[in-house]
Amino acid sequence: EDQVTQSPEALRLQEGESSSLNCSYTVSGLRGLFWYRQDPGKGPEFLFTLYSAGEEKEKERLKATLTKKESFLHITAPKPEDSATYLCALNSGYALNFGKGTSLLVTP
Amino acid sequence: DSGVTQTPKHLITATGQRVTLRCSPRSGDLSVYWYQQSLDQGLQFLIQYYNGEERAKGNILERFSAQQFPDLHSELNLSSLELGDSALYFCASSFLARGSTDTQYFGPGTRLTVL
C-alpha cells in the first residue's frame, strides 16, 4: 500500500532562515509526487509535480527534489507570507494519497 | 483562484439531517474528486467521477453519495449526519481520467459543522 510520511509536523523559522521539509514515501510504481500549499481554512494550492528520481523543480523561494524514497521541499530565505501547511501527496492511479503535512511558521 | 467553485462555504446543521454540497469544476475538466479533511485524519479521498460516471471510491461512508451531472458539476450528499462528519469537504477537478498523472486543482471547500 502506498504510504506518505511528512516531517517535521511543525517548523518555526525566522525570516531568511532556510530549511527543508521532508516527504518519505513507499509506492509500488510512482505515478507522480505532488506538493501543495494550504492556508488555514482554504483549499490546497498546487505547487509542483515530480515524476522521477533526480528531478527538481523551482518556484520563487521553493525548490522540490525527488529521490527513490524521499522528496524534499527546500525553502530559501523564507518570508512570513510563506507560512502555511505544506502537503505532499502520491498519485495512486485515481486519487491523491496525502501526508499529514508540515505546518510552517515564518516569523519576522 | 483555481477555477473550481464550491457552495456553500459554510454549513451548520444538526445530527440526523441531510445536506448537499455542490462543486463546479474548472472549465474543460472532466474529472471531479471529493475529499474530506478533518483535524485527526488529514485529507482523505472519498470518490471520483469522470464525465458523469463513478470511477473510483475511497473511504466513503454508505451514508454519503455523490453524482456528476451532464454539465459536469457534482454534488455530494451527506445523510444521517453525525457529529464526527464535521469537517472541511473539498472538491478537486482535473482533465484526464484514471491512470493519468494530471494535476488536481482544489476548490475553496465547504466547512460542515454538525451540532
Side-chain angles (χ1 to χ4, degrees):
Chain A
E1 184 179 320
D2 299 353
Q3 285 202 339
V4 180
T5 304
Q6 292 188 246
S7 62
E9 286 186 16
L11 181 62
R12 183 181 180 125
L13 298 173
Q14 291 270 22
E15 185 172 2
E17 180 187 0
S18 301
S19 187
S20 297
L21 313 183
N22 177 268
C23 172
S24 297
Y25 67 92
T26 56
V27 65
S28 54
L30 184 64
R31 287 172 290 248
L33 185 138
F34 295 76
W35 282 98
Y36 285 82
R37 168 193 169 128
Q38 186 176 26
D39 292 301
K42 303 286 180 65
E45 174 189 346
F46 171 70
L47 294 174
F48 305 108
T49 310
L50 302 166
Y51 292 105
S52 57
E55 190 174 359
E56 300 182 352
K57 289 191 177 174
E58 286 188 68
K59 180 180 178 180
E60 296 180 359
R61 295 177 293 282
L62 299 177
K63 178 180 177 180
T65 63
L66 184 67
T67 73
K68 288 186 177 179
K69 293 183 179 179
E70 296 175 303
S71 179
F72 293 93
L73 186 65
H74 308 277
I75 303 177
T76 303
K79 298 182 178 182
E81 53 262 42
D82 294 322
S83 298
T85 295
Y86 291 86
L87 299 166
C88 167
L90 288 174
N91 184 307
S92 63
Y94 50 85
L96 293 175
N97 182 9
F98 281 90
K100 294 287 179 72
T102 293
S103 177
L104 174 65
L105 176 64
V106 182
T107 57
Chain B
D1 186 355
S2 67
V4 179
T5 60
Q6 290 187 248
T7 57
K9 193 169 183 178
H10 301 279
L11 203 48
I12 300 174
T13 188
T15 55
Q17 295 298 304
R18 182 180 188 273
V19 297
T20 298
L21 283 53
R22 183 189 168 106
C23 166
S24 292
R26 293 186 320 154
S27 177
D29 282 356
L30 301 177
S31 274
V32 169
Y33 310 77
W34 286 97
Y35 290 83
Q36 179 191 58
Q37 186 175 40
S38 57
L39 284 174
D40 56 341
Q41 292 294 322
L43 263 168
Q44 299 283 317
F45 168 69
L46 296 178
I47 197 165
Q48 178 206 5
Y49 277 81
Y50 173 75
N51 205 20
E53 294 186 4
E54 180 186 307
R55 280 300 178 95
K57 269 187 173 180
N59 300 319
I60 188 166
L61 300 171
E62 285 192 12
R63 301 183 285 109
F64 295 0
S65 65
Q67 53 185 325
Q68 187 179 27
F69 295 86
D71 66 353
L72 300 177
H73 90 272
S74 177
E75 293 181 356
L76 179 66
N77 301 296
L78 315 177
S79 62
S80 302
L81 285 167
E82 302 176 358
L83 295 176
D85 298 327
S86 295
L88 273 166
Y89 290 85
F90 290 105
C91 167
S93 75
S94 70
F95 175 69
L96 295 174
R98 175 190 179 130
S100 71
T101 55
D102 61 321
T103 300
Q104 293 182 26
Y105 293 91
F106 283 76
T110 293
R111 181 177 293 280
L112 173 66
T113 303
V114 182
L115 301 175

